[in-house]
Amino acid sequence: MSEKRTRGGISSILLITIAAAVCAPLLLWFRNDPLLALNVFADARYNAELSYQLTTLALAALMIFLVYGLTGRAGLSYLNLRRRDGAIRPEPWIGIKPKPNETWKNLGFNFAIVITLVTAVVIYFQVVHGKSVSLNLFPGIPLILLFALVNAFCEEILFRFSFVAVVSRSGYSPYVAQGLGAAVFGVVHYFGNPGGIVGVLMAAFIGWFLAKSMLETRGFFWALVIHFLQDVVIFSALFME
């Protein structure tokens, strides 16, 4: 029985890894050639982003159905937004050494600030530095917030929730989910914003850390919030004129 469970767990992890790995180049493809060609706004950038985000929502929905098929309701429990706390597993190699009373409410808040500030610095030098820019308040800011939320949700589903739910249900080490989340998310960001080697390293760490947040809180809250704040910074820079 144990051997069967192990084989089944490996098969599930392999399947979800293939699915996420396929989604990574698909996102790059749809970024340049979205399935939809909406023309809702005067600014072509907003139309292109809206078309892309609706496509990624469809991919995220398919991934949720796949995870449900592999894990049942137990896997979907990681989508809970009310679970914001939990014990922190120490990671001394990266400086995560929780104090006796420190939990994810503290760590999540602190890292939300740090990761957002680091992202802002990197994006400034990669995208904004040396340009004369301005930001359209309407519909610019509402759309930035909407796109940031949808993008964060979809990428967390595709590249974090998928691994966390399946690996946990299969009974394997949480480091398997964190490693897969880091690897896939890191590689795809070579072509993203921030990009290049710096983008890969940042995205890999964030993929690892946000998978850790889901595993230890058994919820979606910190992963979504931290990713959303990052994307607000990124979309603000991309939509500046």
Side-chain angles (χ1 to χ4, degrees):
M1 182 66 70
S2 176
E3 186 180 352
K4 289 181 180 179
R5 281 201 301 267
T6 300
R7 284 203 299 265
I10 291 174
S11 299
S12 295
I13 293 171
L14 181 60
L15 178 59
I16 208 68
T17 301
I18 292 171
V22 168
C23 285
L26 277 179
L27 291 184
L28 296 174
W29 183 17
F30 291 146
R31 172 62 70 184
N32 297 317
D33 189 16
L35 295 178
L36 302 174
L38 300 177
N39 189 22
V40 178
F41 304 102
D43 193 322
R45 296 174 303 171
Y46 298 154
N47 291 322
E49 192 62 41
L50 179 61
S51 300
Y52 171 76
Q53 294 297 346
L54 289 175
T55 303
T56 61
L57 271 173
L59 281 179
L62 290 174
M63 183 64 83
I64 291 172
F65 279 119
L66 177 58
V67 170
Y68 178 73
L70 294 173
T71 68
R73 284 184 154 184
L76 299 188
S77 67
Y78 283 96
L79 293 176
N80 193 311
L81 287 171
R82 290 178 292 181
R83 296 176 185 159
R84 307 173 187 181
D85 208 2
I88 304 167
R89 187 176 67 246
E91 309 280 359
W93 65 276
I94 203 69
I96 299 178
K97 302 175 183 178
K99 297 175 183 177
N101 295 325
E102 188 178 9
T103 66
W104 264 99
K105 282 187 177 179
N106 311 109
L107 187 66
F109 179 80
N110 292 338
F111 266 78
I113 295 173
V114 170
I115 290 174
T116 303
L117 290 176
V118 170
T119 301
V121 170
V122 173
I123 285 294
Y124 172 77
F125 284 107
Q126 284 198 353
V127 179
V128 180
H129 183 60
K131 297 180 180 179
S132 177
V133 296
S134 62
L135 185 62
N136 183 8
L137 297 181
F138 187 85
I141 291 179
L143 286 177
I144 284 169
L145 296 176
L146 175 63
F147 292 153
L149 181 61
V150 173
N151 191 72
F153 172 79
C154 291
E155 291 189 355
E156 288 306 310
I157 292 294
L158 296 173
F159 304 124
R160 231 84 65 215
F161 161 75
S162 56
F163 294 130
V164 166
V166 172
V167 170
S168 298
R169 184 62 174 167
S170 300
Y172 285 87
S173 166
Y175 287 113
V176 174
Q178 290 175 236
L180 290 170
V184 177
F185 200 56
V187 170
V188 74
H189 269 77
Y190 184 83
F191 305 98
N193 286 293
I197 297 301
V198 173
V200 169
L201 294 175
M202 281 187 61
F205 171 75
I206 289 164
W208 176 88
F209 182 78
L210 297 186
K212 177 181 175 67
S213 78
M214 283 192 199
L215 287 159
E216 294 175 18
T217 64
R218 300 190 63 81
F220 203 67
F221 179 80
W222 286 116
L224 182 62
V225 167
I226 292 172
H227 199 150
F228 167 72
L229 293 174
Q230 263 199 305
D231 281 352
V232 168
V233 172
I234 293 168
F235 280 115
S236 296
L238 293 178
F239 288 151
M240 284 181 177
E241 300 176 345

Coordinates of all heavy atoms in Angstrom, one line a residue, residues 125-216:
F125 N 15.6 50.7 -11.7 CA 16.8 50.8 -12.5 C 16.7 50.0 -13.8 O 17.3 50.3 -14.7 CB 18.0 50.2 -11.6 CG 18.5 51.1 -10.6 CD1 18.2 50.9 -9.3 CD2 19.2 52.3 -11.0 CE1 18.7 51.8 -8.3 CE2 19.7 53.2 -10.0 CZ 19.4 52.9 -8.7
Q126 N 15.8 49.0 -13.8 CA 15.6 48.3 -15.1 C 14.6 48.9 -16.0 O 14.7 48.8 -17.3 CB 15.1 46.8 -14.8 CG 16.2 45.9 -14.3 CD 15.8 44.4 -14.4 OE1 14.6 44.1 -14.8 NE2 16.7 43.6 -14.1
V127 N 13.6 49.7 -15.5 CA 12.5 50.2 -16.4 C 12.4 51.7 -16.4 O 12.2 52.3 -17.4 CB 11.2 49.5 -15.9 CG1 10.0 50.1 -16.8 CG2 11.2 48.0 -16.0
V128 N 12.5 52.3 -15.2 CA 12.2 53.7 -15.1 C 13.4 54.7 -15.2 O 13.3 55.8 -15.7 CB 11.5 54.0 -13.7 CG1 11.1 55.4 -13.5 CG2 10.2 53.1 -13.6
H129 N 14.5 54.3 -14.7 CA 15.7 55.1 -14.5 C 16.0 55.8 -15.9 O 16.1 55.2 -16.9 CB 16.9 54.3 -14.1 CG 18.1 55.1 -13.9 ND1 18.2 56.2 -12.9 CD2 19.3 55.1 -14.4 CE1 19.4 56.7 -12.9 NE2 20.1 56.1 -13.9
G130 N 16.2 57.1 -15.8 CA 16.6 57.9 -16.9 C 15.4 58.4 -17.8 O 15.6 59.1 -18.8
K131 N 14.2 58.0 -17.5 CA 13.1 58.4 -18.3 C 12.2 59.5 -17.6 O 12.2 59.6 -16.4 CB 12.1 57.2 -18.5 CG 12.8 56.1 -19.3 CD 11.8 54.9 -19.5 CE 12.4 53.8 -20.3 NZ 11.5 52.6 -20.4
S132 N 11.6 60.3 -18.4 CA 10.6 61.3 -17.9 C 9.3 60.6 -17.9 O 8.8 60.3 -19.0 CB 10.7 62.6 -18.7 OG 9.7 63.5 -18.3
V133 N 8.7 60.4 -16.8 CA 7.5 59.6 -16.8 C 6.3 60.3 -16.0 O 6.5 61.1 -15.2 CB 7.7 58.2 -16.1 CG1 8.7 57.4 -16.9 CG2 8.2 58.4 -14.6
S134 N 5.1 59.8 -16.4 CA 3.9 60.2 -15.7 C 2.9 59.1 -15.7 O 3.1 58.2 -16.5 CB 3.3 61.5 -16.3 OG 2.9 61.2 -17.7
L135 N 2.0 59.1 -14.8 CA 1.0 58.0 -14.7 C -0.4 58.5 -14.8 O -0.8 59.5 -14.2 CB 1.2 57.3 -13.3 CG 0.4 56.0 -13.1 CD1 0.7 55.0 -14.1 CD2 0.6 55.5 -11.6
N136 N -1.1 57.9 -15.7 CA -2.5 58.2 -15.9 C -3.4 57.8 -14.7 O -3.4 56.6 -14.4 CB -3.0 57.5 -17.2 CG -4.4 57.9 -17.6 OD1 -5.0 58.7 -17.0 ND2 -5.0 57.2 -18.6
L137 N -4.0 58.7 -14.0 CA -4.7 58.4 -12.8 C -6.0 57.6 -13.1 O -6.3 56.7 -12.3 CB -5.1 59.7 -12.1 CG -3.9 60.6 -11.6 CD1 -4.4 61.8 -10.8 CD2 -3.0 59.7 -10.7
F138 N -6.7 57.9 -14.2 CA -7.9 57.1 -14.5 C -7.9 56.9 -16.0 O -7.8 57.9 -16.8 CB -9.1 57.8 -14.0 CG -10.4 57.0 -14.2 CD1 -10.7 56.1 -13.2 CD2 -11.2 57.1 -15.3 CE1 -11.9 55.3 -13.4 CE2 -12.3 56.3 -15.5 CZ -12.6 55.4 -14.5
P139 N -8.1 55.7 -16.5 CA -8.3 54.5 -15.7 C -7.0 53.8 -15.3 O -7.1 52.7 -14.8 CB -9.1 53.6 -16.7 CG -8.5 54.0 -18.1 CD -8.2 55.5 -18.0
G140 N -5.9 54.5 -15.4 CA -4.6 53.9 -15.1 C -4.5 53.2 -13.8 O -4.2 52.0 -13.7
I141 N -4.7 53.9 -12.7 CA -4.5 53.4 -11.3 C -5.5 52.2 -11.0 O -5.1 51.2 -10.6 CB -4.6 54.5 -10.3 CG1 -3.4 55.4 -10.4 CG2 -4.7 53.9 -8.9 CD1 -3.3 56.5 -9.4
P142 N -6.8 52.4 -11.3 CA -7.7 51.3 -11.1 C -7.3 50.0 -11.9 O -7.4 48.9 -11.4 CB -9.1 51.8 -11.5 CG -9.0 53.3 -11.3 CD -7.6 53.6 -11.7
L143 N -6.9 50.2 -13.1 CA -6.5 49.1 -13.9 C -5.2 48.4 -13.4 O -5.1 47.2 -13.5 CB -6.3 49.5 -15.4 CG -7.6 49.8 -16.2 CD1 -7.3 50.3 -17.6 CD2 -8.5 48.5 -16.2
I144 N -4.3 49.3 -12.9 CA -3.1 48.7 -12.3 C -3.4 47.8 -11.2 O -2.9 46.7 -11.1 CB -2.1 49.9 -11.9 CG1 -1.5 50.5 -13.1 CG2 -1.1 49.4 -10.9 CD1 -0.7 51.8 -12.8
L145 N -4.3 48.3 -10.3 CA -4.7 47.4 -9.2 C -5.4 46.2 -9.6 O -5.2 45.1 -9.1 CB -5.6 48.3 -8.2 CG -5.0 49.5 -7.6 CD1 -6.0 50.3 -6.8 CD2 -3.8 49.1 -6.7
L146 N -6.3 46.3 -10.6 CA -7.0 45.1 -11.1 C -6.0 44.1 -11.7 O -6.1 42.9 -11.4 CB -8.1 45.5 -12.1 CG -8.8 44.4 -12.8 CD1 -9.6 43.6 -11.8 CD2 -9.7 44.9 -13.9
F147 N -5.2 44.6 -12.6 CA -4.2 43.7 -13.3 C -3.3 43.1 -12.3 O -2.9 41.9 -12.4 CB -3.4 44.5 -14.4 CG -4.3 45.0 -15.5 CD1 -3.9 46.1 -16.3 CD2 -5.4 44.3 -15.9 CE1 -4.6 46.5 -17.3 CE2 -6.2 44.7 -17.0 CZ -5.8 45.8 -17.7
A148 N -2.8 43.8 -11.3 CA -1.9 43.3 -10.3 C -2.6 42.2 -9.5 O -2.0 41.1 -9.3 CB -1.5 44.4 -9.4
L149 N -3.8 42.4 -9.2 CA -4.6 41.3 -8.4 C -4.8 40.1 -9.2 O -4.5 39.0 -8.8 CB -5.9 41.9 -7.9 CG -6.8 40.9 -7.1 CD1 -6.0 40.5 -5.8 CD2 -8.1 41.6 -6.8
V150 N -5.2 40.2 -10.5 CA -5.5 39.1 -11.3 C -4.2 38.4 -11.7 O -4.1 37.1 -11.6 CB -6.2 39.5 -12.6 CG1 -6.3 38.3 -13.6 CG2 -7.6 40.1 -12.3
N151 N -3.1 39.1 -12.0 CA -1.9 38.5 -12.3 C -1.3 37.7 -11.1 O -0.8 36.6 -11.3 CB -0.9 39.6 -12.8 CG 0.4 39.0 -13.4 OD1 0.3 38.4 -14.5 ND2 1.5 39.0 -12.7
A152 N -1.4 38.3 -9.9 CA -0.9 37.7 -8.7 C -1.6 36.4 -8.5 O -1.1 35.3 -8.2 CB -1.0 38.6 -7.5
F153 N -3.0 36.5 -8.6 CA -3.8 35.3 -8.3 C -3.4 34.2 -9.3 O -3.2 33.0 -8.9 CB -5.3 35.7 -8.5 CG -6.2 34.5 -8.4 CD1 -6.5 33.9 -7.2 CD2 -6.7 33.9 -9.6 CE1 -7.4 32.8 -7.1 CE2 -7.6 32.8 -9.5 CZ -7.9 32.3 -8.3
C154 N -3.4 34.5 -10.6 CA -3.2 33.5 -11.6 C -1.8 32.8 -11.4 O -1.6 31.6 -11.5 CB -3.3 34.0 -13.0 SG -5.0 34.5 -13.4
E155 N -0.7 33.6 -11.2 CA 0.6 33.1 -11.1 C 0.8 32.3 -9.8 O 1.5 31.3 -9.8 CB 1.6 34.2 -11.2 CG 1.7 34.8 -12.6 CD 2.9 35.7 -12.8 OE1 3.6 36.0 -11.8 OE2 3.1 36.2 -13.9
E156 N 0.1 32.7 -8.8 CA 0.1 31.9 -7.5 C -0.6 30.5 -7.7 O -0.1 29.5 -7.2 CB -0.5 32.6 -6.4 CG 0.3 33.8 -5.9 CD 1.8 33.4 -5.5 OE1 1.9 32.4 -4.8 OE2 2.7 34.0 -6.0
I157 N -1.7 30.5 -8.5 CA -2.3 29.3 -8.8 C -1.5 28.4 -9.6 O -1.3 27.2 -9.3 CB -3.7 29.5 -9.5 CG1 -4.7 30.2 -8.6 CG2 -4.2 28.2 -10.1 CD1 -5.2 29.4 -7.4
L158 N -0.9 28.9 -10.7 CA -0.1 28.1 -11.6 C 1.2 27.6 -11.1 O 1.6 26.4 -11.3 CB 0.1 28.9 -12.9 CG -1.1 29.3 -13.7 CD1 -0.7 30.3 -14.9 CD2 -1.8 28.1 -14.3
F159 N 1.9 28.4 -10.3 CA 3.3 28.1 -9.9 C 3.5 28.0 -8.5 O 4.7 27.7 -8.1 CB 4.2 29.3 -10.5 CG 4.1 29.5 -12.0 CD1 3.8 30.7 -12.5 CD2 4.2 28.4 -12.8 CE1 3.6 30.9 -13.8 CE2 4.1 28.6 -14.2 CZ 3.8 29.8 -14.7
R160 N 2.5 28.1 -7.6 CA 2.7 27.8 -6.2 C 1.6 26.9 -5.7 O 1.9 25.8 -5.2 CB 2.6 29.2 -5.4 CG 3.8 29.3 -4.5 CD 4.9 29.9 -5.2 NE 4.6 31.3 -5.7 CZ 5.0 31.8 -6.9 NH1 5.8 31.1 -7.6 NH2 4.7 33.0 -7.2
F161 N 0.4 27.3 -5.7 CA -0.7 26.5 -5.2 C -0.7 25.1 -5.8 O -0.9 24.1 -5.1 CB -2.1 27.1 -5.5 CG -3.2 26.2 -5.5 CD1 -3.7 25.8 -4.2 CD2 -3.9 25.8 -6.6 CE1 -4.8 25.0 -4.2 CE2 -4.9 24.9 -6.6 CZ -5.4 24.5 -5.3
S162 N -0.4 25.0 -7.1 CA -0.4 23.7 -7.8 C 0.6 22.7 -7.1 O 0.2 21.6 -6.8 CB -0.1 23.8 -9.3 OG 1.2 24.5 -9.4
F163 N 1.8 23.2 -6.9 CA 2.8 22.3 -6.3 C 2.5 22.1 -4.8 O 2.7 20.9 -4.4 CB 4.2 23.0 -6.4 CG 4.7 23.2 -7.8 CD1 5.2 24.4 -8.3 CD2 4.7 22.1 -8.7 CE1 5.6 24.5 -9.6 CE2 5.2 22.2 -10.0 CZ 5.6 23.4 -10.5
V164 N 2.1 23.1 -4.1 CA 1.9 23.0 -2.7 C 0.8 21.9 -2.4 O 0.9 21.0 -1.6 CB 1.5 24.3 -2.1 CG1 0.9 24.1 -0.7 CG2 2.8 25.2 -2.0
A165 N -0.3 22.1 -3.1 CA -1.5 21.2 -2.9 C -1.1 19.7 -3.2 O -1.4 18.8 -2.5 CB -2.7 21.6 -3.7
V166 N -0.5 19.5 -4.4 CA -0.2 18.1 -4.8 C 0.9 17.5 -4.0 O 0.8 16.3 -3.6 CB 0.1 18.1 -6.3 CG1 0.6 16.7 -6.7 CG2 -1.1 18.5 -7.1
V167 N 2.0 18.2 -3.7 CA 3.1 17.7 -3.0 C 2.6 17.3 -1.5 O 2.9 16.3 -1.0 CB 4.3 18.6 -2.9 CG1 5.3 18.2 -1.9 CG2 4.9 18.7 -4.3
S168 N 1.9 18.3 -0.9 CA 1.4 18.0 0.4 C 0.5 16.8 0.5 O 0.6 16.0 1.4 CB 0.7 19.3 1.0 OG 1.5 20.4 1.0
R169 N -0.4 16.7 -0.5 CA -1.4 15.6 -0.5 C -0.7 14.3 -0.7 O -1.1 13.2 -0.2 CB -2.4 15.9 -1.6 CG -3.5 14.8 -1.6 CD -4.3 14.8 -0.4 NE -5.5 13.9 -0.5 CZ -6.2 13.5 0.5 NH1 -5.9 14.0 1.8 NH2 -7.3 12.8 0.3
S170 N 0.5 14.4 -1.4 CA 1.2 13.1 -1.7 C 2.1 12.7 -0.6 O 2.7 11.6 -0.6 CB 2.0 13.3 -3.0 OG 1.2 13.6 -4.1
G171 N 2.2 13.6 0.4 CA 3.0 13.2 1.6 C 4.5 13.5 1.5 O 5.3 12.9 2.3
Y172 N 4.9 14.2 0.5 CA 6.4 14.5 0.4 C 6.8 15.7 1.1 O 6.0 16.5 1.6 CB 6.7 14.6 -1.1 CG 6.7 13.2 -1.8 CD1 5.5 12.7 -2.3 CD2 7.8 12.4 -1.9 CE1 5.5 11.5 -2.9 CE2 7.8 11.2 -2.5 CZ 6.6 10.7 -3.0 OH 6.6 9.5 -3.6
S173 N 8.1 15.9 1.2 CA 8.7 17.0 1.9 C 8.2 18.4 1.4 O 8.1 18.5 0.1 CB 10.2 17.0 1.9 OG 10.8 18.2 2.3
P174 N 7.9 19.3 2.2 CA 7.6 20.7 1.7 C 8.6 21.3 0.9 O 8.3 22.1 0.0 CB 7.4 21.5 3.0 CG 8.1 20.7 4.1 CD 8.0 19.3 3.7
Y175 N 9.9 20.9 1.0 CA 11.0 21.4 0.2 C 10.8 21.0 -1.3 O 11.4 21.7 -2.1 CB 12.3 21.0 0.8 CG 12.7 21.7 2.0 CD1 12.8 21.0 3.2 CD2 12.9 23.1 2.1 CE1 13.1 21.6 4.4 CE2 13.2 23.7 3.2 CZ 13.3 23.0 4.4 OH 13.6 23.6 5.6
V176 N 10.1 20.0 -1.5 CA 9.8 19.6 -2.9 C 9.0 20.7 -3.6 O 9.3 21.1 -4.7 CB 9.2 18.2 -3.0 CG1 8.8 17.9 -4.5 CG2 10.1 17.1 -2.5
A177 N 7.9 21.0 -2.9 CA 7.0 22.1 -3.4 C 7.7 23.4 -3.5 O 7.6 24.1 -4.5 CB 5.8 22.2 -2.5
Q178 N 8.5 23.8 -2.5 CA 9.2 25.0 -2.6 C 10.3 25.0 -3.7 O 10.4 26.1 -4.4 CB 9.9 25.3 -1.2 CG 8.9 25.6 -0.1 CD 9.6 25.7 1.3 OE1 9.2 25.0 2.2 NE2 10.5 26.6 1.4
G179 N 10.9 23.9 -3.9 CA 11.9 23.8 -4.9 C 11.3 23.9 -6.3 O 11.9 24.7 -7.2
L180 N 10.2 23.3 -6.5 CA 9.6 23.3 -7.8 C 9.0 24.7 -8.1 O 9.1 25.3 -9.2 CB 8.4 22.3 -7.9 CG 8.9 20.8 -7.9 CD1 7.7 19.9 -7.8 CD2 9.6 20.5 -9.3
G181 N 8.4 25.3 -7.0 CA 7.9 26.7 -7.2 C 9.0 27.7 -7.5 O 8.8 28.6 -8.3
A182 N 10.2 27.5 -6.9 CA 11.3 28.4 -7.2 C 11.8 28.2 -8.6 O 12.1 29.2 -9.3 CB 12.4 28.2 -6.1
A183 N 12.0 26.9 -9.0 CA 12.6 26.6 -10.3 C 11.8 27.2 -11.4 O 12.3 27.9 -12.3 CB 12.9 25.1 -10.4
V184 N 10.5 26.8 -11.5 CA 9.7 27.2 -12.6 C 9.5 28.7 -12.6 O 9.6 29.3 -13.7 CB 8.3 26.4 -12.5 CG1 7.4 26.9 -13.7 CG2 8.5 24.9 -12.6
F185 N 9.2 29.3 -11.5 CA 8.9 30.7 -11.5 C 10.2 31.5 -11.8 O 10.1 32.6 -12.4 CB 8.4 31.1 -10.1 CG 7.6 32.4 -10.1 CD1 6.6 32.6 -10.9 CD2 8.0 33.4 -9.2 CE1 5.9 33.8 -10.8 CE2 7.3 34.6 -9.1 CZ 6.2 34.8 -10.0
G186 N 11.3 31.0 -11.3 CA 12.6 31.7 -11.6 C 12.9 31.7 -13.1 O 13.2 32.7 -13.7
V187 N 12.8 30.5 -13.7 CA 13.1 30.4 -15.2 C 12.3 31.3 -16.0 O 12.8 32.0 -16.9 CB 13.0 28.9 -15.6 CG1 13.2 28.8 -17.1 CG2 14.1 28.1 -15.0
V188 N 11.0 31.3 -15.8 CA 10.1 32.1 -16.7 C 10.3 33.6 -16.5 O 10.1 34.3 -17.5 CB 8.6 31.7 -16.3 CG1 8.1 32.4 -15.0 CG2 7.7 32.2 -17.5
H189 N 10.9 34.0 -15.4 CA 11.1 35.4 -15.2 C 12.4 35.9 -15.9 O 12.7 37.2 -15.8 CB 11.1 35.8 -13.7 CG 9.7 36.2 -13.3 ND1 8.7 35.3 -13.0 CD2 9.1 37.4 -13.0 CE1 7.6 35.9 -12.7 NE2 7.8 37.2 -12.7
Y190 N 13.2 35.1 -16.5 CA 14.3 35.5 -17.3 C 13.8 36.5 -18.4 O 14.5 37.4 -18.7 CB 15.1 34.4 -17.9 CG 16.3 34.8 -18.6 CD1 17.5 35.0 -17.9 CD2 16.3 35.0 -20.0 CE1 18.6 35.4 -18.6 CE2 17.4 35.4 -20.7 CZ 18.6 35.6 -20.0 OH 19.7 36.0 -20.6
F191 N 12.6 36.3 -18.9 CA 12.0 37.1 -19.9 C 11.0 38.1 -19.4 O 10.3 38.6 -20.2 CB 11.4 36.2 -21.0 CG 12.3 35.1 -21.5 CD1 12.3 33.8 -21.0 CD2 13.3 35.4 -22.5 CE1 13.1 32.8 -21.5 CE2 14.1 34.4 -23.0 CZ 14.1 33.2 -22.5
G192 N 10.9 38.2 -18.1 CA 9.8 39.0 -17.5 C 10.4 40.3 -17.0 O 11.4 40.8 -17.4
N193 N 9.6 40.9 -16.1 CA 9.9 42.1 -15.4 C 9.8 41.9 -13.9 O 8.7 41.7 -13.4 CB 9.0 43.3 -15.8 CG 9.3 43.8 -17.2 OD1 10.4 44.3 -17.4 ND2 8.4 43.6 -18.1
P194 N 10.9 42.0 -13.1 CA 12.3 42.2 -13.5 C 12.8 41.0 -14.3 O 12.3 39.9 -14.1 CB 13.0 42.4 -12.2 CG 12.2 41.8 -11.2 CD 10.8 41.9 -11.6
G195 N 13.7 41.3 -15.2 CA 14.2 40.2 -16.1 C 15.7 39.9 -15.9 O 16.4 40.4 -15.0
G196 N 16.2 39.1 -16.8 CA 17.6 38.7 -16.8 C 17.9 37.8 -15.5 O 17.0 37.3 -14.9
I197 N 19.2 37.7 -15.3 CA 19.7 36.9 -14.1 C 19.1 37.5 -12.8 O 18.7 36.7 -11.9 CB 21.2 36.9 -14.1 CG1 21.7 36.2 -15.3 CG2 21.7 36.1 -12.8 CD1 21.3 34.8 -15.6
V198 N 19.1 38.8 -12.7 CA 18.5 39.4 -11.4 C 17.1 39.0 -11.3 O 16.6 38.6 -10.2 CB 18.7 40.9 -11.5 CG1 18.0 41.5 -10.3 CG2 20.2 41.3 -11.4
G199 N 16.3 39.0 -12.4 CA 14.9 38.6 -12.3 C 14.7 37.2 -12.0 O 13.8 36.8 -11.2
V200 N 15.6 36.3 -12.5 CA 15.5 34.9 -12.2 C 15.8 34.6 -10.7 O 15.0 33.9 -10.1 CB 16.6 34.1 -13.0 CG1 16.7 32.7 -12.5 CG2 16.2 34.1 -14.5
L201 N 16.8 35.3 -10.2 CA 17.1 35.1 -8.7 C 16.1 35.6 -7.8 O 15.7 34.9 -6.8 CB 18.5 35.7 -8.4 CG 19.7 35.1 -9.1 CD1 21.0 35.9 -8.8 CD2 19.9 33.7 -8.7
M202 N 15.5 36.8 -8.2 CA 14.5 37.4 -7.3 C 13.2 36.5 -7.4 O 12.6 36.2 -6.4 CB 14.1 38.8 -7.8 CG 15.1 39.9 -7.4 SD 14.4 41.5 -7.8 CE 12.9 41.5 -6.9
A203 N 12.8 36.1 -8.6 CA 11.6 35.3 -8.8 C 11.8 33.9 -8.1 O 10.8 33.4 -7.5 CB 11.3 35.1 -10.2
A204 N 13.0 33.3 -8.2 CA 13.2 32.0 -7.6 C 13.0 32.1 -6.1 O 12.4 31.2 -5.4 CB 14.6 31.5 -8.0
F205 N 13.6 33.2 -5.5 CA 13.5 33.3 -4.0 C 12.0 33.5 -3.6 O 11.5 32.9 -2.7 CB 14.3 34.5 -3.5 CG 14.0 34.8 -2.1 CD1 14.5 34.0 -1.1 CD2 13.2 35.9 -1.7 CE1 14.2 34.2 0.3 CE2 12.9 36.1 -0.4 CZ 13.5 35.3 0.6
I206 N 11.3 34.4 -4.4 CA 9.9 34.7 -4.1 C 9.1 33.4 -4.3 O 8.2 33.1 -3.5 CB 9.4 35.8 -5.0 CG1 10.1 37.1 -4.5 CG2 7.9 36.0 -4.9 CD1 10.0 38.3 -5.5
G207 N 9.4 32.7 -5.3 CA 8.6 31.4 -5.5 C 8.8 30.5 -4.3 O 7.9 29.8 -3.9
W208 N 10.0 30.4 -3.9 CA 10.3 29.5 -2.7 C 9.6 30.0 -1.5 O 9.0 29.3 -0.7 CB 11.9 29.5 -2.5 CG 12.4 28.8 -1.3 CD1 12.7 27.5 -1.3 CD2 12.6 29.3 0.0 NE1 13.1 27.1 0.0 CE2 13.0 28.3 0.8 CE3 12.5 30.6 0.5 CZ2 13.4 28.4 2.1 CZ3 12.8 30.8 1.9 CH2 13.2 29.7 2.7
F209 N 9.7 31.3 -1.2 CA 9.2 31.9 0.0 C 7.7 31.9 0.0 O 7.1 31.6 1.1 CB 9.7 33.4 0.1 CG 9.2 34.0 1.4 CD1 9.8 33.8 2.6 CD2 8.1 34.9 1.4 CE1 9.4 34.4 3.8 CE2 7.7 35.5 2.6 CZ 8.3 35.2 3.8
L210 N 7.0 32.2 -1.1 CA 5.6 32.2 -1.1 C 5.0 30.7 -1.0 O 3.9 30.5 -0.4 CB 5.0 32.9 -2.4 CG 5.4 34.4 -2.4 CD1 4.7 35.0 -3.6 CD2 5.1 35.1 -1.1
A211 N 5.7 29.8 -1.6 CA 5.3 28.4 -1.4 C 5.4 28.0 0.1 O 4.5 27.3 0.7 CB 6.2 27.5 -2.2
K212 N 6.5 28.5 0.7 CA 6.6 28.3 2.2 C 5.5 28.9 3.0 O 5.0 28.3 3.9 CB 8.0 28.9 2.6 CG 8.3 28.8 4.1 CD 9.6 29.5 4.4 CE 9.9 29.6 5.9 NZ 10.1 28.2 6.5
S213 N 5.0 30.1 2.6 CA 3.9 30.7 3.3 C 2.7 29.9 3.2 O 1.9 29.8 4.1 CB 3.7 32.1 2.7 OG 3.0 32.1 1.5
M214 N 2.4 29.3 2.0 CA 1.2 28.5 1.8 C 1.3 27.2 2.7 O 0.3 26.8 3.3 CB 1.0 28.1 0.4 CG 0.5 29.2 -0.5 SD 0.0 28.5 -2.1 CE 0.0 30.0 -3.1
L215 N 2.4 26.6 2.7 CA 2.6 25.4 3.4 C 2.4 25.6 4.9 O 1.8 24.7 5.6 CB 4.0 24.8 3.1 CG 4.2 24.2 1.7 CD1 5.6 24.1 1.3 CD2 3.5 22.8 1.6
E216 N 3.0 26.6 5.4 CA 3.0 26.8 6.9 C 1.8 27.5 7.4 O 1.5 27.4 8.6 CB 4.3 27.5 7.2 CG 5.5 26.7 6.9 CD 6.9 27.4 7.2 OE1 6.9 28.4 7.9 OE2 7.9 26.9 6.6

